Amino acid sequence: MNNVKYSIGQLAKESGCKVETVHYYEKIGLMPEPPRTEGGHRVFALSHVKRLNFIRRSRELGFKIEQIKDLLKFIDEPNHYCGEVRAMAMLQARAVQEKIDDLQRLQLALNEMVIKCKGSNNSIDDCPIVDALFTKKATGQQ
Amino acid sequence: MNNVKYSIGQLAKESGCKVETVHYYEKIGLMPEPPRTEGGHRVFALSHVKRLNFIRRSRELGFKIEQIKDLLKFIDEPNHYCGEVRAMAMLQARAVQEKIDDLQRLQLALNEMVIKCKGSNNSIDDCPIVDALFTKKATGQQ
DNA sequence: CCTTGAACCTATAGTTACTACAGGTTCTAT
DNA sequence: ATAGAACCTGTAGTAACTATAGGTTCAAGG
């Protein structure tokens, strides 16, 4: 009884992305090809809205498209278990922590540079930041 | 008296990047066109090594190519002051902090999901992670 | 019913910062 | 002299979209 229909514009707004992004997701097979009107316009159902929300939310959480494909496979196909999804989430959490660590090292380096530099109008030749940038490695690479 | 010469391979190794990356930097104007041998091979000097190190280090610190162009402009042109560089470094530090904050919120969400999910082999239909992913917004976007 | 303009359609190119390849030339060491 | 490593140019590919062009369809107002 819930057969509300959505145009692509409504769908996009509903999930906070652009129409072109929906096209893109369809092209790469993340979103299914929906039915069309006589004239060729796409017509979406609530299930599409949910699926797109899932995708967008997963992207926000830093999952890559390929990972999301895997997650959706879990959901689309029967015979999958919660444990598999949990494992992916844990992997993702670990990757995120590594990114955070990297950035914090980076932040430290930047702040040190800024503190050492009195700024104002001494010449560029005496700038400790420029100096630091000419020096090799100190942070983990990105 | 220090006129050591470097091949592009040596230059790349010296700065920890690939030969193709040097070509690329030359093409986009980050690195100057160096002199060549009779046969057309590039010949670099120590100044090139230093400049490339500067670029690579800045990239490690998260500066975008366009920002590095600005930094190099400060260095290449006279009449610039340390203060300008300092300001850019501070801006960069702020941007990095924002990224860190985002990722930490993300981390929180992921960990919550993992904790709520007992994993094991309950069906995907009861998975709290899948559930959470179907729900809208909770983290800042990336 | 007709018109207007918003929303839609497809297909292609652009974005960022590289990386990878193809097909050919030069350099270096034996 | 020759083998093979390193170099050359130019083009295409990567991720995840975004933007544009040029045309069609839809919904609302007159």
Side-chain angles (χ1 to χ4, degrees):
Chain A
M1 326 257 123
N2 189 344
N3 29 24
V4 194
K5 300 298 175 199
Y6 299 82
S7 71
I8 195 169
Q10 292 168 328
L11 172 65
K13 193 165 292 172
E14 203 76 30
S15 331
C17 68
K18 310 224 164 143
V19 169
E20 290 89 347
T21 308
V22 182
H23 285 157
Y24 173 69
Y25 287 159
E26 184 181 319
K27 198 169 57 187
I28 64 173
L30 262 192
M31 290 292 286
E33 292 184 26
R36 305 273 185 132
T37 63
E38 293 277 286
H41 286 199
R42 290 169 179 81
V43 181
F44 297 94
L46 187 60
S47 67
H48 295 105
V49 177
K50 283 190 184 175
R51 192 184 181 91
L52 185 52
N53 277 337
F54 183 96
I55 294 168
R56 292 309 299 172
R57 177 114 174 83
S58 301
R59 289 286 301 125
E60 277 174 24
L61 291 178
F63 287 96
K64 303 221 157 165
I65 297 273
E66 281 310 307
Q67 294 179 299
I68 299 174
K69 274 190 184 165
D70 289 343
L71 286 172
L72 287 170
K73 221 181 294 160
F74 291 156
I75 292 161
D76 291 341
E77 299 169 1
N79 298 113
H80 280 287
Y81 292 104
C82 189
E84 300 177 83
V85 174
R86 186 174 193 252
M88 279 191 62
M90 285 176 69
L91 264 182
Q92 180 61 9
R94 174 130 19 127
V96 167
Q97 190 56 54
E98 269 166 36
K99 247 191 221 166
I100 291 175
D101 292 347
D102 272 3
L103 286 175
Q104 269 169 348
R105 245 172 290 142
L106 193 165
Q107 183 72 330
L108 220 78
L110 282 169
N111 283 334
E112 262 172 43
M113 284 177 5
V114 169
I115 287 166
K116 272 193 209 137
C117 176
K118 311 229 179 341
S120 73
N121 47 6
N122 44 324
S123 146
I124 208 95
D125 303 324
D126 305 327
C127 181
I129 296 183
V130 169
D131 229 57
L133 287 174
F134 270 121
T135 307
K136 258 194 193 166
K137 284 245 168 197
T139 17
Q141 76 282 49
Q142 188 253 12
Chain B
M1 330 253 119
N2 188 346
N3 29 22
V4 195
K5 299 298 174 199
Y6 299 82
S7 71
I8 196 169
Q10 291 169 330
L11 172 64
K13 191 164 293 172
E14 203 76 29
S15 331
C17 69
K18 308 225 164 142
V19 168
E20 291 90 345
T21 307
V22 181
H23 286 155
Y24 173 69
Y25 286 159
E26 184 181 320
K27 197 169 58 184
I28 64 172
L30 263 192
M31 291 292 286
E33 293 184 26
R36 306 272 185 135
T37 62
E38 292 278 287
H41 285 199
R42 290 169 178 82
V43 180
F44 297 93
L46 187 60
S47 67
H48 294 106
V49 177
K50 283 191 185 174
R51 192 183 180 91
L52 185 52
N53 277 337
F54 183 97
I55 293 168
R56 292 308 299 172
R57 178 115 173 82
S58 302
R59 289 287 301 128
E60 278 173 22
L61 292 179
F63 287 95
K64 304 221 158 162
I65 297 273
E66 279 311 306
Q67 294 179 299
I68 298 175
K69 273 190 185 164
D70 289 342
L71 285 170
L72 286 170
K73 220 181 295 161
F74 291 155
I75 291 161
D76 292 340
E77 298 170 3
N79 297 114
H80 280 287
Y81 294 105
C82 187
E84 300 177 86
V85 174
R86 188 174 193 253
M88 280 192 61
M90 285 176 69
L91 263 182
Q92 180 61 8
R94 175 127 23 124
V96 168
Q97 190 57 54
E98 267 164 38
K99 248 190 220 165
I100 291 175
D101 291 347
D102 272 3
L103 286 175
Q104 269 168 347
R105 244 172 292 141
L106 193 164
Q107 183 72 329
L108 220 77
L110 283 169
N111 283 335
E112 259 172 46
M113 284 177 7
V114 170
I115 287 166
K116 273 194 209 137
C117 176
K118 312 231 179 339
S120 72
N121 48 5
N122 44 324
S123 148
I124 208 96
D125 302 323
D126 304 328
C127 181
I129 295 181
V130 169
D131 228 57
L133 287 173
F134 270 120
T135 307
K136 259 193 189 164
K137 283 246 166 195
T139 16
Q141 78 282 47
Q142 191 250 9

